[in-house]
Amino acid sequence: MQVKNYIKRYFLFILGLFFTGLGVAFARHSALGVSPISSVANVLSLRFTFFSLGNWLILWNCVLILGQIIILRRDFKIYQLLQIPLSVLFGYFTDFGMWIVHFIPVKNYAVQFALLLCGILVIAFGVSLTVIANVIMNSGEAIVKAVSDKWNFEFGNVKVFFDISCVTVSVLLSLLLFNLKIVGTREGTIITALCTGFAVKKITRLIKPACTAFICPQTEN
């Protein structure tokens, strides 16, 4: 039963990765900016197009995993290396999501904003699934936890600092790579940062009973 339980949890986690990647694709297609954690990869993908957004996300996540190893050293657990293949899956899912949404015509700001809102909701749904699965943290959350655990900082405070740092780096990269223009990081990045957490809480509350029943169905006597 325990093996079957873990299989279901990882299935739920991978499904969550798919929806998260699809949500990132919606936000990217809106051209209003992606989530803070994806903003660095987004700017790099716009400048260096020989790699897709998904490929840049894979590389960025690997940088975050390396950061965890440097911070935690001996406290870094081997199982956390599962973040690498899961990050690869997330990158592929994002590129697949880009293919799905590319046909949607973006004619005005209203459509852009609608795509952004769809992206936030889909990302929140995906994150909710990964949270409920409770098997492993994604690299962005994991590096925040690594800093929090290592230096006894409040997780929420570190998360805010991390998000601000990602946005700052993406803006600086944009200014450097696009002749002092801000590209790929716009109001959508701020809106995503402010709204996603709230949406995750609401969606998690709605879907948790069904997901829990899927993972651990009650046996009849």
Side-chain angles (χ1 to χ4, degrees):
M1 287 293 292
Q2 191 174 15
V3 173
K4 187 180 292 186
N5 182 280
Y6 271 106
I7 290 173
K8 288 182 178 181
R9 286 182 181 276
Y10 272 101
F11 171 79
L12 209 62
F13 187 88
I14 291 170
L15 189 64
L17 286 182
F18 170 77
F19 281 106
T20 305
L22 179 61
V24 171
F26 268 105
R28 163 66 179 269
H29 195 57
S30 76
L32 295 180
V34 296
S35 60
I37 191 174
S38 302
S39 59
V40 174
N42 187 42
V43 171
L44 290 171
S45 71
L46 291 169
R47 178 61 181 86
F48 303 109
T49 56
F50 50 81
F51 280 163
S52 65
L53 173 59
N55 288 332
W56 280 113
L57 283 170
I58 293 169
L59 292 173
W60 174 240
N61 281 319
C62 287
V63 169
L64 297 180
I65 295 166
L66 179 60
Q68 295 169 49
I69 295 171
I70 293 171
I71 293 168
L72 295 175
R73 300 190 180 184
R74 293 181 180 179
D75 292 330
F76 184 84
K77 308 299 182 184
I78 294 298
Y79 78 88
Q80 291 174 299
L81 290 175
L82 281 172
Q83 293 175 64
I84 297 175
L86 293 173
S87 294
V88 172
L89 268 179
F90 176 65
Y92 288 155
F93 287 153
T94 302
D95 281 344
F96 181 62
M98 293 291 295
W99 177 80
I100 290 175
V101 304
H102 82 279
F103 69 91
I104 301 175
V106 184
K107 297 181 179 179
N108 52 53
Y109 191 84
V111 175
Q112 287 180 284
F113 197 76
L115 284 170
L116 177 68
L117 292 181
C118 285
I120 291 171
L121 290 175
V122 176
I123 289 173
F125 180 70
V127 172
S128 296
L129 289 176
T130 64
V131 169
I132 294 168
N134 192 30
V135 285
I136 192 170
M137 300 182 80
N138 62 56
S139 58
E141 301 294 322
I143 194 167
V144 170
K145 188 175 187 303
V147 173
S148 176
D149 290 348
K150 184 70 174 181
W151 291 290
N152 296 316
F153 293 140
E154 181 68 34
F155 181 90
N157 294 336
V158 179
K159 180 70 169 72
V160 171
F161 178 78
F162 176 71
D163 286 348
I164 292 173
S165 299
C166 287
V167 173
T168 301
V169 171
S170 67
V171 169
L172 291 175
L173 279 173
S174 177
L175 293 172
L176 179 66
L177 298 174
F178 291 95
N179 297 319
L180 301 180
K181 294 180 181 179
I182 298 179
V183 177
T185 305
R186 290 181 51 182
E187 64 272 27
T189 302
I190 307 301
I191 294 170
T192 303
L194 293 174
C195 296
T196 302
F198 176 77
V200 168
K201 288 181 182 179
K202 292 294 185 181
I203 293 174
T204 300
R205 193 177 304 159
L206 288 172
I207 68 173
K208 190 171 184 177
C211 292
T212 302
F214 168 74
I215 296 170
C216 301
Q218 294 186 4
T219 55
E220 296 181 1
N221 293 328

